[in-house]
Amino acid sequence: MAWMHAVNHTRGRPRDVRVDDALAQTVRKLLTEVGYASLTMDVVAQRAGVGKAAIYRRYSSKAELVFASVVHQMAPTPAPDTGSLRGDLRMLAAEIYTTLTDPVVASATPGFLAELADKPDVAQRLREGLFAREQAEVTDLLARAVGRGELADVPEAALVHSAMLGSMFAWLSMLHHPSDAGLPAQVADFVYAALAGKPADGRALIV
Amino acid sequence: MAWMHAVNHTRGRPRDVRVDDALAQTVRKLLTEVGYASLTMDVVAQRAGVGKAAIYRRYSSKAELVFASVVHQMAPTPAPDTGSLRGDLRMLAAEIYTTLTDPVVASATPGFLAELADKPDVAQRLREGLFAREQAEVTDLLARAVGRGELADVPEAALVHSAMLGSMFAWLSMLHHPSDAGLPAQVADFVYAALAGKPADGRALIV
Amino acid sequence: MAWMHAVNHTRGRPRDVRVDDALAQTVRKLLTEVGYASLTMDVVAQRAGVGKAAIYRRYSSKAELVFASVVHQMAPTPAPDTGSLRGDLRMLAAEIYTTLTDPVVASATPGFLAELADKPDVAQRLREGLFAREQAEVTDLLARAVGRGELADVPEAALVHSAMLGSMFAWLSMLHHPSDAGLPAQVADFVYAALAGKPADGRALIV
Amino acid sequence: MAWMHAVNHTRGRPRDVRVDDALAQTVRKLLTEVGYASLTMDVVAQRAGVGKAAIYRRYSSKAELVFASVVHQMAPTPAPDTGSLRGDLRMLAAEIYTTLTDPVVASATPGFLAELADKPDVAQRLREGLFAREQAEVTDLLARAVGRGELADVPEAALVHSAMLGSMFAWLSMLHHPSDAGLPAQVADFVYAALAGKPADGRALIV
DNA sequence: CGGTAATCGAGACGGTACGTCTAGTCTTAAA
DNA sequence: TTTAAGACTAGACGTACCGTCTCGATTACCG
């Protein structure tokens, strides 16, 4: 099947791979420097030493360019399995937290969410490329917990995913509470408590 | 104390209240029609039958205008107290859900979050005017539960708030799951389980 | 006939004369400071310590205000008669020159000419109030020359007027040659030569 | 030496000549239709089928645009030499008259003169590009007359130029006398009389 | 001497042009 | 055919100005 990709590009000058790298690096740097809104295509081209046509030949819009550049070298994170539901949740929470607080991701996310409102196609690709894998991890993690006998029934993965991702996103980006290394564990334990029926933070349940 | 607000406006022609109303109404209508990004100041001015100067005399930017218009007549929501923690949580979840799925709010939110990245002052006002009250409700609600003896210790309100707001926001705006009337109850019960130590959805805990 | 003006204005508060003076003075000062184009009604009002309504109650437009302010205290120039055509021409030239090089007039004139293109009514008033009297002087001056026997026939006053006014205006405002005290005499002599058939500047005619 | 002008424009897409043409034509048409003051950049762009950026890339302001468009294809008029001073003057007067009464020039001139007050750089360019050549013609014309023996001494060209240009400008634009085909000849003869010492219009000189 | 009516400064109002900026497309010459 | 450079269209942004309108507070005359 590999030949599929090797379509005879042998007509005219081949794409310069250094362009792709320069773009990704430049976009990532600019995102942290000025943010998504003030990142302009002209400046990207100039700083990357690249023509605008070379950009639009690869990405059809600013949103796609930024998306690709942000995802570019995002952790592939194969799989965790720590042996316990609580451990798995903490692992996942830490992973999500790391992503959300990454300077590049944090700079791109809000502007990104804004564009998704208008462009369902980009939104679709974002969800598939970014969130689908995460959600699959949640599904696996829950299945493992059921297998271990930690949970009687498998809860809805989407809800658990929303709880973990959303809690941290709201904490950081909406309520603008300070970034705190203890946050992911807190959230993971909170979710664990909800699933396992043990009060969060080991607090005793009275009635 | 009312006289405090009656600051001597007696100098020159006073602001026309109808302009404020026309602006808020027009912005709200345009938000649902074309969304935040495609809402232009010129069109707002034209449709409101107002000069652009009148807008910029009140709001220094598009972001401020939209913010004010969205908040304009947002539910004052006095207080609930349903007699039980679960009931209170469901009430609050329903309220948040209603807000998040309101056409106007839903249209404005993403574009809004994007602008907050650049404009800390607007962000500050948004948090104070929009989220602070919500968080106060959470605090009260938890205190009441402790008072009733439903909880042994008072949990951190900010975390509970993040969990409720964030879960629903992520579900709706990030993962784009379909709007579902059952969502707020699900989320409320999930949070209740975490706090009260009973498995969500009444699922039995095995170990 | 004076009673015509004394129309019973005796209803309500009478116009404050100090407003008129303040306006004229302010406009004249602003004209020399920033020129016609950059003179704004708001600044006039502010600097004169006057409301804009008070201005528009007197003058229907910026053009009218400036016109009135410039003419305000312009030389009434009774009449010259120096005893000779050449002397009369020199006198008139000097008068026109003084007017054209007056800082206020010089600042207002170009912007003024521009507005006349669109507003025939203001143009009409300008011509009647400003140029008509000048032209009448030319007519008288020529008639006197004929009476004295200096000229056989009375030349067209409008042409002579154009020659004197236009030559100096072109020299100063179009070609931007430096202001020169000798200019009016030169122009007067030039016109005299044309009328009297003697070469300008006493130059000998060869053929 | 021609290569000096062919500065290596070979870097990026070259300016589109059709844009320049479309702009000049559109401005000329609009000048006659609505005049200088009511000519707006947006309408120019729209009617020319051109983006505003393309205009401001070429001209830094409305004044520069209009200036360039008016001068654009103005008669190069090499040189006349009719064999006599009177003939040369009539020729020049006719040329100036044609220019002044050209609908485009007539519409642009007043608004133009107004802007020159504020913008000395534009004024400088106007004088060099527009009047300098005219004045050179006057100088030549007078030199020829001296060569022919029609004049004993060479008069000051600037004064003669001012007299011809100014007389007609004042007649048309300041005093708003009706446009008259006989005007240039009248003015030329008037100037001729001043130079040659023969009474204008063949009127007899008495003393 | 109190009512009536036009005035006053202050400043908000609708409308409209300006000049700047951006996204995404297109056009060169060179490689 | 790709490259860098940069011009292209379209259209929003925020500022500025004009001429009008609206406040509450002054004046004058008239009854």
Side-chain angles (χ1 to χ4, degrees), chain D residues 38-61:
Chain D
S38 299
L39 177 153
T40 73
M41 300 302 267
D42 288 81
V43 170
V44 169
Q46 198 173 354
R47 292 263 285 255
V50 148
K52 285 176 69 177
I55 302 182
Y56 283 101
R57 202 175 291 119
R58 291 167 166 73
Y59 313 103
S60 65
S61 69

Side-chain angles (χ1 to χ4, degrees), chain B residues 39-53:
Chain B
L39 177 154
T40 74
M41 301 301 267
D42 288 81
V43 171
V44 169
Q46 198 173 354
R47 293 263 285 253
V50 149
K52 284 177 70 176

Side-chain angles (χ1 to χ4, degrees), chain B residues 109-159:
Chain B
T109 304
F112 227 81
L113 254 40
E115 305 234 36
L116 299 191
D118 290 348
K119 321 195 167 177
D121 53 327
V122 184
Q124 180 67 12
R125 201 154 39 237
L126 174 69
R127 279 195 297 283
E128 289 173 356
L130 219 60
F131 295 134
R133 208 196 29 184
E134 217 166 78
Q135 182 138 338
E137 281 190 54
V138 176
T139 306
D140 290 353
L141 165 165
L142 293 172
R144 283 199 301 268
V146 172
R148 277 188 214 106
E150 288 186 277
L151 294 180
D153 205 355
V154 47
E156 191 174 356
L159 185 62

Side-chain angles (χ1 to χ4, degrees), chain A residues 186-200:
Chain A
Q186 252 186 303
V187 168
D189 289 355
F190 188 89
V191 169
Y192 176 76
L195 296 175
K198 290 180 183 153

Side-chain angles (χ1 to χ4, degrees), chain A residues 156-173:
Chain A
E156 191 175 356
L159 185 62
V160 175
H161 186 201
S162 292
M164 300 207 56
L165 171 61
S167 294
M168 289 191 279
F169 179 81
W171 180 279
L172 296 168
S173 293

Side-chain angles (χ1 to χ4, degrees), chain C residues 23-40:
Chain C
L23 280 178
Q25 273 187 302
T26 304
V27 168
R28 298 173 67 84
K29 189 183 303 178
L30 280 175
L31 275 177
T32 66
E33 286 179 16
V34 301
Y36 182 89
S38 300
L39 177 154
T40 72

